[in-house]
Amino acid sequence: MTEGGATVTPLRPKRPCPECGRPSTRDAYPFCSARCKDVDLGRWLTGAYAIPVREEDDEDGAPETDARDA
């Protein structure tokens, strides 16, 4: 596939699967298999990847004040 000495670079670099560490495949990128892809999807759907939220901040970012603090 090299014409005139030019090399073809892949569109996606080879990366390890984020679930098991094996090399990723083109069909399931960035995972190595449909199984690892489904495991990751299951974690998203159950909320395992949820970002924690701090409840003490108000909508404008200022901390809530209590009448007892005054």
Side-chain angles (χ1 to χ4, degrees):
M1 291 227 116
T2 60
E3 290 185 35
T7 59
V8 177
T9 58
L11 295 177
R12 296 179 183 154
K14 291 267 185 183
R15 292 190 176 148
C17 175
E19 288 298 320
C20 67
R22 289 186 280 176
S24 61
T25 62
R26 180 174 281 196
D27 295 336
Y29 190 83
F31 304 97
C32 67
S33 65
R35 181 194 171 279
C36 283
K37 200 175 200 179
D38 290 341
V39 167
D40 185 69
L41 178 62
R43 288 185 180 151
W44 277 106
L45 295 176
T46 60
Y49 290 141
I51 298 171
V53 179
R54 294 189 346 212
E55 295 293 331
E56 68 266 1
D57 287 349
D58 200 8
E59 286 182 10
D60 61 0
E64 294 179 14
T65 57
D66 193 358
R68 293 176 283 173
D69 292 340

